[in-house]
Amino acid sequence: MNARPIPFDNSYARLPERLFVRQAPVPVAAPELLAINLSLGRELGIDAAWLQSPAAVRAFAGNELPEGAEPLAQAYAGHQFGGWVPQLGDGRAILLGEVVDTHGRRRDIQLKGAGRTPFSRGGDGRAWIGPVLREYLVSESMHALGIPTTRALAAVATGETVYRERPLPGAVLTRVAASHLRVGTFQYFAARQDVEALRLLADHAIARHYPQAETPLDLLNAVVEAQAKLVARWMSVGFIHGVMNTDNTAISGETIDYGPCAFMDAYHPETVFSSIDRTGRYAYARQPEIAAWNLAQFATCLLPLMGERDKAVAQATEAVQRFPALHASEWLHRFGRKIGLAQARPADSPLIEAFLRGLADHGHDFTNSFRDLAEGRLPGGLEGWGADWRARLRAENAPEAVMRTANPAFIPRNHRVEEAISAALEGDMAPFRRLHGVLAHPFDDQPEHADLARPPAAHEAVHQTFCGT
Ligand code: AMP
Ligand code: MG
């Protein structure tokens, strides 16, 4: 075993201290491993023997700092449901440090649920195993679907009780991210008119995520493009983030902060799961509009770095206004592939939209209705649409192959995620492991696991999800 099992190479900890607070994780009573991601560990260059040892479990519980870790809690602010909150920050997350992975990419390693920090406000700094296992399953599923996302390296039970509506077993998630820079990180310093910090953050973001960018305007344009593509990809798998607050919008373009997120079963554009989203602000179909709103907040933060005010405002506005066209183009590409078109054209949009309208009218399952198209099976009531579709497909090469790689057979359906969590609460991790294993290959048929592809029966359907904080 190496003396330094995690090859830390920290850069955020070198930034001025007002960007964060140095804070060690708070040890827990009795760490016990729930899940470990060995392939991600390999990719990060973590010592394989160590990763499977009790020392790793202690490290991922926050009980023992691996050598080279420089733990800290990051400062950030944010708009939550449109309302400005000047100080949020890592209230229950501790950044251990960064590694440069085997592909040369810098990645953060963070413990989520690692105890109180100066940013905890009224919170206990902890998480219970429900949201930890949910984030593990859903983020790993997103990765397998090819969608930019933070990853899950480990989940460890703490042996401590967390009090929510009822006493629940605590857990810590080890999250890996391209970075934890959020729109809200920039907002924190913009609100304090700390231009020097904004400049450092912009430089840090450019170096880590968009090295081709030379100016803050280039950075803005790159983030607009990354978010437009990301949200189009969410739309293409029926993903609803649930809390698209500016503090949950990553500058890297990764999906971050899986709280009350969910994948739709039956398609409807107004679908909302989150119990706290009473007005449907973050409904499925509103996600592109909200992402653009969040990017406008980011643009505002960068203005002090962009030179003469009027010109900067005009350039920033233009950059954010590129969002709808960038999103529409990626949406068309993704949904075109879902109906078998390798290169959809704008004239194909009505055909895609008619299919979605048909799904909504008949309450059909989003995932399975698209998956069935590759076998030539049309959802009931869409036979008329099928004639137009087949006519269009005649101009295409191998549309079935395109559809099979664009339409997953397996998504983390809510009722299955809940089932895995309920079993884990009884000490049985087998349903979690089976679901995780199947979701790792979402485009394979896996007929022996067909039950995991079925939409919920009426009595199994989950209509609400919770932040779990
Ligand atoms: P989230 O809803 O997870 O995006 O978190 C919003 C804010 O609340 C962030 O500043 C979190 O760090 C903080 N927070 C969430 N849960 C807790 C908790 N249990 N203890 C302390 N802070 C928390
Ligand atoms: Mg958050």
Side-chain angles (χ1 to χ4, degrees), residues 276-360:
I276 57 171
D277 190 0
R278 298 215 166 78
T279 62
R281 179 181 170 90
Y282 300 142
Y284 172 77
R286 291 199 68 191
Q287 297 185 116
E289 179 195 331
I290 293 291
W293 190 90
N294 291 346
L295 291 163
Q297 308 312 312
F298 181 50
T300 305
C301 296
L302 295 180
L303 287 176
L305 305 180
M306 287 173 60
E308 194 269 313
R309 181 84 188 178
D310 289 347
K311 186 162 166 236
V313 170
Q315 289 176 324
T317 305
E318 193 185 321
V320 176
Q321 284 174 345
R322 289 170 61 238
F323 184 95
L326 288 167
H327 179 268
S329 150
E330 184 71 13
W331 186 94
L332 180 63
H333 174 61
R334 294 290 159 193
F335 276 86
R337 291 179 53 80
K338 291 178 79 67
I339 64 165
L341 310 177
Q343 286 298 334
R345 301 180 295 252
D348 294 315
S349 277
L351 187 65
I352 299 166
E353 280 155 11
F355 184 72
L356 289 172
R357 250 191 329 274
L359 297 188

Side-chain angles (χ1 to χ4, degrees), residues 112-425:
K112 190 170 172 184
R116 301 197 76 236
T117 79
F119 302 112
S120 298
R121 295 171 291 162
D124 60 3
R126 295 298 185 191
W128 70 277
I129 66 168
V132 166
L133 295 181
R134 166 180 277 273
E135 175 159 347
Y136 198 114
L137 285 170
V138 181
S139 65
E140 287 302 301
S141 161
M142 289 286 262
H143 171 72
L145 290 165
I147 299 177
T149 177
T150 62
R151 304 285 306 275
L153 178 60
V156 174
T158 60
E160 293 179 0
T161 300
V162 171
Y163 295 90
R164 296 295 180 258
E165 299 83 30
R166 59 196 171 108
L168 292 158
V172 179
L173 178 78
T174 304
R175 173 161 75 177
V176 174
S179 83
H180 285 85
L181 291 177
R182 306 148 188 273
V183 168
T185 319
F186 286 79
Q187 286 182 294
Y188 180 94
F189 295 98
R192 286 157 181 78
Q193 298 182 352
D194 186 342
V195 179
E196 192 210 354
L198 287 173
R199 185 160 292 129
L200 291 168
L201 283 174
D203 288 346
H204 188 83
I206 289 173
R208 279 183 87 155
H209 308 306
Y210 308 103
Q212 73 288 1
E214 287 173 356
T215 63
L217 178 62
D218 292 345
L219 170 64
L220 175 59
N221 273 306
V223 177
V224 168
E225 186 173 336
Q227 283 288 331
K229 287 191 169 159
L230 177 67
V231 174
R233 301 202 61 172
W234 291 355
M235 303 301 277
S236 77
V237 294
F239 177 76
I240 302 168
H241 183 285
V243 239
M244 287 178 70
N245 295 332
T246 56
D247 53 302
N248 295 335
T249 302
I251 300 302
S252 65
E254 286 184 341
T255 312
I256 195 168
D257 277 4
Y258 293 85
C261 66
F263 281 71
M264 269 191 295
D265 295 300
Y267 174 73
H268 197 286
E270 286 159 28
T271 307
V272 177
F273 286 98
S274 170
S275 62
I276 57 171
D277 190 0
R278 298 215 166 78
T279 62
R281 179 181 170 90
Y282 300 142
Y284 172 77
R286 291 199 68 191
Q287 297 185 116
E289 179 195 331
I290 293 291
W293 190 90
N294 291 346
L295 291 163
Q297 308 312 312
F298 181 50
T300 305
C301 296
L302 295 180
L303 287 176
L305 305 180
M306 287 173 60
E308 194 269 313
R309 181 84 188 178
D310 289 347
K311 186 162 166 236
V313 170
Q315 289 176 324
T317 305
E318 193 185 321
V320 176
Q321 284 174 345
R322 289 170 61 238
F323 184 95
L326 288 167
H327 179 268
S329 150
E330 184 71 13
W331 186 94
L332 180 63
H333 174 61
R334 294 290 159 193
F335 276 86
R337 291 179 53 80
K338 291 178 79 67
I339 64 165
L341 310 177
Q343 286 298 334
R345 301 180 295 252
D348 294 315
S349 277
L351 187 65
I352 299 166
E353 280 155 11
F355 184 72
L356 289 172
R357 250 191 329 274
L359 297 188
D361 289 347
H362 295 90
H364 287 311
D365 187 77
F366 179 85
T367 303
N368 292 355
S369 297
F370 277 105
R371 181 76 178 179
D372 283 349
L373 290 180
E375 321 310 325
R377 275 199 303 277
L378 286 170
L382 277 91
E383 296 79 8
W385 178 86
D388 295 342
W389 175 57
R390 290 204 173 89
R392 173 66 182 85
L393 279 194
R394 263 178 237 127
E396 294 291 311
N397 266 318
E400 292 79 12
V402 171
M403 287 186 275
R404 272 194 210 99
T405 55
N407 298 325
F410 297 96
I411 51 155
R413 292 185 186 271
N414 258 315
H415 65 298
R416 294 301 188 177
V417 173
E418 294 299 324
E419 181 182 71
I421 293 169
S422 301
L425 279 172

Side-chain angles (χ1 to χ4, degrees), residues 57-69:
V57 180
R58 292 195 296 273
F60 296 141
N63 284 22
E64 195 171 288
L65 274 182
E67 201 187 318

